Amino acid sequence: MKKVLSIVLAVAMLFTMSVMAFAEIKNPKTINGTAGEDNTAIVKTSTVDKDGKDATWYKVTFPAETVIAWGDTAPNAVEYKVESQLAYDKVLNVTVTTEDSTMSASEAANTATLAYVLGGNVDVKTATAVANESYAASVTVAEAQWAAAPVGEYSDTLTFTATVVNAD
């Protein structure tokens, strides 16, 4: 049984090696020994992957929620990571925005607000190819804003926007 199996596997390996011999050569050239003939071939890449899809891509990863300790006046980082592989003349532009830089109290009956400043890396243009680079926007609440607000849970929404743009 082992001999039969080894013979079958050997024959299968021979068939797989011969597949390339039957492949069609596209735009063939032949060298005939004529003076001045072109004996070069071009090797080039495609801009689509092996499945025929566009090979450019990007990914921006950011936290779904960032919690700031009550009374903290230091800039609080909202870190995000960028990965991309784009065309040579393109870069990824990542912006972080807020509607009005004001957090609202989470209780429906409470209309208290807490103003803050959005800063840090809020408008970043990356390189063409980026391997997991870290950036951080920051949320800073001034001491006067903390002092004027009743203690509670306040929140606001930051919007991350990623756009592929021409490199400058």
Side-chain angles (χ1 to χ4, degrees):
M1 182 66 180
K2 289 183 183 179
K3 287 182 183 179
V4 173
L5 183 59
S6 64
I7 290 172
V8 169
L9 288 174
V11 171
M13 284 186 351
L14 287 174
F15 282 132
T16 61
M17 291 183 358
S18 65
V19 168
M20 289 304 290
F22 300 118
E24 179 184 351
I25 298 175
K26 294 181 181 179
N27 301 324
K29 287 186 174 182
T30 304
I31 299 174
N32 296 325
T34 307
E37 66 186 329
D38 183 4
N39 63 348
T40 62
I42 297 171
V43 177
K44 63 182 182 177
T45 62
S46 173
T47 59
V48 296
D49 66 14
K50 62 184 177 184
D51 299 323
K53 297 176 185 170
D54 185 2
T56 62
W57 61 273
Y58 65 85
K59 179 170 71 170
V60 179
T61 307
F62 53 90
E65 184 176 279
T66 300
V67 178
I68 300 171
W70 189 264
D72 188 355
T73 58
N76 288 271
V78 180
E79 293 186 19
Y80 61 98
K81 294 186 182 236
V82 176
E83 297 178 72
S84 68
Q85 190 167 25
L86 305 171
Y88 62 87
D89 59 343
K90 304 291 183 189
V91 295
L92 186 65
N93 189 46
V94 179
T95 58
V96 184
T97 58
T98 178
E99 192 172 311
D100 61 5
S101 295
T102 304
M103 290 185 260
S104 300
S106 59
E107 296 84 22
N110 191 344
T111 58
T113 59
L114 185 62
Y116 66 93
V117 175
L118 178 63
N121 298 121
V122 295
D123 191 14
V124 172
K125 281 190 179 171
T126 66
T128 299
V130 178
N132 211 21
E133 289 186 17
S134 293
Y135 300 94
S138 64
V139 173
T140 306
V141 180
E143 188 173 336
Q145 298 299 323
W146 285 117
V151 175
E153 191 173 287
Y154 295 77
S155 65
D156 192 24
T157 301
L158 299 181
T159 302
F160 287 78
T161 305
T163 311
V164 176
V165 297
N166 291 329
D168 292 333

